[in-house]
Amino acid sequence: MHRKLYHMGIRGRISKSTLSDANENRDWHIYADFAQVLIHTARTLYLKEPFGVELAQTVYALDATTIDLCLALFPWAHFRKNKGAVKLHTLLDLRGNIPSFIEITSGKVHDVNILDDLIPEPASFYIVDRGLSGFCETLLFHQSKRFLSFEQKRISSIAGFIRDRGKATGLRCDQTIKLTVYRSAQDYPETLRLVRFFDSENNKRLTFLTNNFILDALTIAKLYKCRWQIELFFKWIKQHLRIKAFFGTSENAVKTQIWVAISVYVLVAIIKKRRI
């Protein structure tokens, strides 16, 4: 380790307090801006990368992961009464699994609030978990001609008709529906598409809602399966870049370290692509 540091121009040991002071005093926006430059480079390299579904459009997965913090040491990171945390909200471009949008918030910020900060691309697909399926936000995506798909554990109080069936392929139901609960119907008066799919590999019954009526039902199911790439992204960041332990306890220090970790992830993706 120290030999590597020597070749980088750093002579001698680096104490944790030195790293902590650097993270406390250097503005985290510097690292965020650098990460955005790398992200732009990586997305250009992976522009035509296949991801398991044959679509010309860009497909994004949106989700968040929670990074636990000690509330006594990080009092600004409010989450629960006796627990601190920050959330890493990420919009992942599935072509290359490159993060295109990242927001770091306190643990209290609900995932659905991040939809207000997104500027959706026309004709792109956005795959989200059920926690992000606010019907008012879904309507905004629908009106701006973006496609939003999300999984639901349970669907109740709907009216609709069956579009197609294909049990041999795992497809159980493909319906056009309208929400009938007053509040939901007020938030989203348009029709939605409900697809039920049986995953025989994992013995799971899955239900999806989407405002896309063009793609076939099996493609809708495949798209949601690709959403799990964002879980792998979070796992890679946490395990390989060790962002659970921080050098510094201020908000600036935490955000600095997270943005540095994201930059490393994207750098690895760039190097991997350029070596092919």
Side-chain angles (χ1 to χ4, degrees):
M1 174 65 180
H2 298 305
R3 184 177 298 175
K4 292 179 181 178
L5 293 175
Y6 181 84
H7 288 302
M8 291 171 62
I10 301 172
R11 299 167 186 252
R13 294 176 177 271
I14 299 178
S15 66
K16 289 184 178 180
S17 61
T18 301
L19 291 174
S20 177
D21 289 341
N23 285 353
E24 296 281 357
N25 297 318
R26 291 174 183 165
D27 192 339
W28 65 267
H29 291 90
I30 298 170
Y31 304 97
D33 290 345
F34 178 61
Q36 292 301 328
V37 173
L38 294 175
I39 286 169
H40 175 74
T41 300
R43 292 190 68 196
T44 302
L45 289 171
Y46 285 89
L47 193 60
K48 296 183 179 180
E49 185 78 4
F51 64 95
V53 179
E54 292 186 10
L55 284 176
Q57 299 93 328
T58 305
V59 181
Y60 297 100
L62 179 63
D63 207 347
T65 189
T66 300
I67 302 169
D68 293 332
L69 299 171
C70 174
L71 194 58
L73 295 176
F74 303 84
W76 51 269
H78 299 289
F79 184 34
R80 292 174 185 157
K81 185 177 180 180
N82 299 312
K83 189 176 182 180
V86 292
K87 275 188 178 180
L88 180 60
H89 305 269
T90 304
L91 184 68
L92 197 73
D93 185 345
L94 294 183
R95 297 189 189 278
N97 299 325
I98 308 298
S100 65
F101 169 89
I102 290 172
E103 186 76 23
I104 304 167
T105 69
S106 71
K108 273 190 170 183
V109 176
H110 195 280
D111 299 356
V112 75
N113 295 335
I114 299 303
L115 289 175
D116 296 333
D117 298 330
L118 293 179
I119 303 176
E121 297 175 8
S124 296
F125 289 83
Y126 292 81
I127 316 299
V128 304
D129 199 13
R130 60 186 178 277
L132 282 154
S133 58
F135 288 114
C136 190
E137 289 77 10
T138 304
L139 180 61
L140 293 176
F141 271 73
H142 177 76
Q143 291 173 337
S144 56
K145 301 191 184 305
R146 283 82 175 174
F147 302 119
L148 190 67
S149 300
F150 46 90
E151 183 194 4
Q152 288 291 110
K153 285 283 187 181
R154 202 170 44 230
I155 302 294
S156 59
S157 300
I158 60 173
F161 60 89
I162 297 175
R163 290 161 50 90
D164 190 19
R165 288 184 184 274
K167 288 193 174 183
T169 60
L171 181 64
R172 293 295 181 264
C173 180
D174 184 6
Q175 289 181 296
T176 299
I177 67 167
K178 291 201 75 171
L179 304 171
T180 57
V181 171
Y182 178 78
R183 178 69 182 274
S184 298
Q186 288 292 310
D187 286 344
Y188 195 91
E190 305 292 334
T191 56
L192 279 167
R193 185 179 181 187
L194 183 149
V195 175
R196 297 187 193 274
F197 180 80
F198 178 69
D199 181 0
S200 57
E201 290 183 15
N202 300 299
N203 196 30
K204 284 187 176 181
R205 297 180 182 274
L206 303 170
T207 300
F208 310 109
L209 286 178
T210 181
N211 63 337
N212 182 279
F213 290 86
I214 301 171
L215 297 180
D216 64 86
L218 289 177
T219 300
I220 296 294
K222 287 179 182 177
L223 275 176
Y224 191 82
K225 186 177 181 180
C226 293
R227 192 198 72 86
W228 286 103
Q229 291 300 321
I230 198 168
E231 303 293 344
L232 298 178
F233 166 77
F234 291 142
K235 185 177 180 180
W236 197 95
I237 287 282
K238 286 183 175 180
Q239 287 187 352
H240 294 278
L241 301 179
R242 302 179 184 274
I243 60 171
K244 290 186 176 182
F246 291 93
F247 298 101
T249 58
S250 68
E251 183 176 358
N252 189 83
V254 170
K255 288 187 175 181
T256 292
Q257 196 163 329
I258 292 175
W259 277 111
V260 168
I262 292 164
S263 297
V264 171
Y265 172 88
V266 180
L267 272 171
V268 171
I270 291 172
I271 293 169
K272 179 182 177 182
K273 191 66 174 177
R274 284 179 172 171
R275 289 182 63 184
I276 296 176

